[in-house]
Structure formats: C-alpha cells, structure tokens
Amino acid sequence: MALPKIIPINELKNTAKISQTCEESDVPIVITKNGYGKMVLMSVELYEREMAEAELAGLINEAVREEENGAPWIDGDEFFASMREKYGEPEREKRGA
C-alpha cells in the first residue's frame, strides 16, 4: 500500500476539494495540526475495502492459531458436502430470460 497523503488541517476549509481528493485517493488522507497527525479521512469505498481486508486477515490469523493449537484439518470436499447438507444447494443466478 502506498503512503498516506498528508495535508494540514487548514485545508479542510475547502470541502469540495477535500471531498474530491478523498474520492480520487486510494490511500487514507492524514490531517495534521501543528505537524502532528490529528485525524484520517478516506472515501467510503476505501473504508469498506480496508475493513474487508482487516476482517479477512483476522479470519486467516484465527485459522492459523487454530491449526497451531491442534485443530483437525477438514478436507475441502467433505467441508462443502457438509455445507450442502446443512444449508442446501446454493441458488444459481438465472442467465438470459
């Protein structure tokens, strides 16, 4: 990931420019006051992507900890068969019409 953009707090007065910068940026924007970070701005799209990545990382870390603590491995085919048995077959999107 690229480094965040850094702008001084007085630039927040230009809300249209800040909004545009957030929408166009693929990195968080750090707002500083007297040279120190005070807050972070980002688009909703970037926020949702960051949250999804954090959740995925948490799930992976949890799985690694479980494996390190001796949790049994489950064969992929067995797992999907148990999910089909428990929840049924997934509905497929209907194509064409």
Side-chain angles (χ1 to χ4, degrees):
M1 179 178 213
L3 294 175
K5 293 183 179 189
I6 299 171
I7 62 174
I9 200 164
N10 64 353
E11 288 190 24
L12 289 179
K13 293 175 186 173
N14 189 344
T15 57
K17 182 179 178 186
I18 292 294
S19 179
Q20 181 180 359
T21 301
C22 280
E23 291 300 318
E24 294 173 352
S25 180
D26 61 346
V27 294
I29 300 167
V30 176
I31 308 300
T32 61
K33 183 175 180 183
N34 298 324
Y36 295 96
K38 289 294 180 185
M39 62 185 90
V40 175
L41 295 175
M42 64 179 74
S43 68
V44 170
E45 179 183 340
L46 179 58
Y47 174 78
E48 289 173 346
R49 188 172 68 228
E50 294 289 325
M51 292 298 102
E53 288 177 9
E55 182 178 358
L56 179 58
L59 291 171
I60 291 170
N61 288 334
E62 181 181 345
V64 168
R65 282 191 300 276
E66 287 178 3
E67 192 276 331
E68 289 173 344
N69 290 324
W73 283 74
I74 301 171
D75 178 74
D77 291 334
E78 290 176 29
F79 170 78
F80 287 115
S82 71
M83 291 295 105
R84 279 193 222 63
E85 183 178 314
K86 186 173 182 176
Y87 299 106
E89 287 289 328
E91 291 187 30
R92 304 279 185 211
E93 284 187 35
K94 294 180 184 177
R95 296 186 180 173

